[in-house]
Amino acid sequence: MTVSLEQLRRCHVAVDLGAARTRVYVKGPGLVVDEPSVAAVNTRTGSLIAVGALAEQMTGRTPDYIRVARPVSGGTVVDIEMAQRMLRHLLGEKLRRQLRRKPWLRAAACTPHDSDPLARRATVETLVGLGARRVELVDTLVAAAVGSGLPVEQPTATMIMVCGAATTQIAVLSLGSIVTAVRLPVGGDAIDHAVIQHLRQHHELMLPSQSVRPLQLALHGNGLTTQGPSVTEIHGRDVATGLARSVEVDTAAIRQAIHRPLTAVLDGVGKVLRDCPPDLVADLADCGIMMVGGSALLPGLDRMLRDATGVPVHIAERPDTCAILGLGAMLEGEISPLVLDPLAS
């Protein structure tokens, strides 16, 4: 764990700046913000037009003078000023006024595993610009493991897989720390992109960027499993004529296109297991792998992992909010470290 639990208990607010969604947890009220990490800006005046869900709806539908920005990419803040403005509007004036009353405002934030110092500094500066006097950074893998209910403080192995929009993080934890971990540049966006590219190359069909989730269209029913529907009807725009068109797509072909980016995820799981001590791997045969993150809900992904690794695979009860809820549990003091009694001499 990056910081001690005692330091986290002194924090007043926790923030999870994700590539897809931004979540804020306030000590006491709980989860107060859960919105897309999107902001719409008027390029002529520089004013902020919309943030969150409304700004996401504007993607691909704006005139030239409105720019839809995503200040977070792959869990890293790439535009500090825009991220601060987005957070300020998502929190609202009433909540910001309550936080300003704290004499020494402390904040906690999730950071991707093995993030570079510049990425961590960008996260810290984003929250400092909102009034935080001190910012504690917690690895997303540890926070997600706590939020999913895994016994991370015990001397047993727990394996967590955080399936995000831009990255996938896999780790084995024991005694509250990461034993071995890997971060892969493959996530829900890569899977969506694979579906879009398949439809464009084989059916000359373009899908709307945000109005229709290509994954939800292509994987209705049982999705990646072979028991799903054999044919899927998809609506989009013809590449040549630009007119609206509907095509019937073979679900098996879509399934094959999706498997290509997921191969990297399977390789990452294998690497973590190879680097893990044998005693901890034996524990994983019983407890298995816990999947969290928005992309963990991809139909059939858990079965594919189970077949490839031979260990049980579980999906958290609330996979999309595990990281921020785990960070909130640390703020509320609900997590107690393992206390070892000194041996009698």
Side-chain angles (χ1 to χ4, degrees), residues 294-337:
S295 301
L297 298 174
L298 180 65
L301 179 58
D302 54 341
R303 181 177 299 183
M304 187 178 69
L305 282 174
R306 191 181 304 115
D307 295 340
T309 60
V311 299
V313 178
H314 314 283
I315 300 177
E317 185 177 352
R318 298 179 63 183
D320 51 342
T321 57
C322 277
I324 190 64
L325 292 180
L327 207 52
M330 298 179 195
L331 264 64
E332 301 285 0
E334 298 175 4
I335 307 301
S336 301

Side-chain angles (χ1 to χ4, degrees), residues 187-317:
D189 292 344
I191 297 172
D192 287 355
H193 182 70
V195 175
I196 292 174
Q197 288 298 107
H198 173 82
L199 295 175
R200 185 183 180 93
Q201 293 174 3
H202 295 85
H203 300 277
E204 297 183 351
L205 192 73
M206 292 182 63
L207 294 182
S209 58
Q210 290 293 331
S211 60
V212 180
R213 292 280 296 176
L215 199 57
Q216 294 176 357
L217 280 176
L219 296 179
H220 70 79
N222 293 321
L224 287 177
T225 60
T226 56
Q227 289 81 12
S230 58
V231 177
T232 301
E233 185 177 5
I234 298 180
H235 308 279
R237 190 184 74 180
D238 190 277
V239 174
T241 64
L243 301 177
R245 184 163 65 92
S246 299
V247 296
E248 290 190 349
V249 181
D250 184 12
T251 310
I254 294 290
R255 192 161 55 241
Q256 184 63 32
I258 288 174
H259 269 280
R260 294 191 185 100
L262 292 181
T263 303
V265 177
L266 296 178
D267 293 341
V269 173
K271 181 180 184 304
V272 170
L273 292 176
R274 287 192 300 271
D275 296 342
C276 192
D279 291 341
L280 295 181
V281 175
D283 292 342
L284 295 176
D286 298 326
C287 61
I289 304 173
M290 178 65 74
M291 294 176 58
V292 302
S295 301
L297 298 174
L298 180 65
L301 179 58
D302 54 341
R303 181 177 299 183
M304 187 178 69
L305 282 174
R306 191 181 304 115
D307 295 340
T309 60
V311 299
V313 178
H314 314 283
I315 300 177
E317 185 177 352

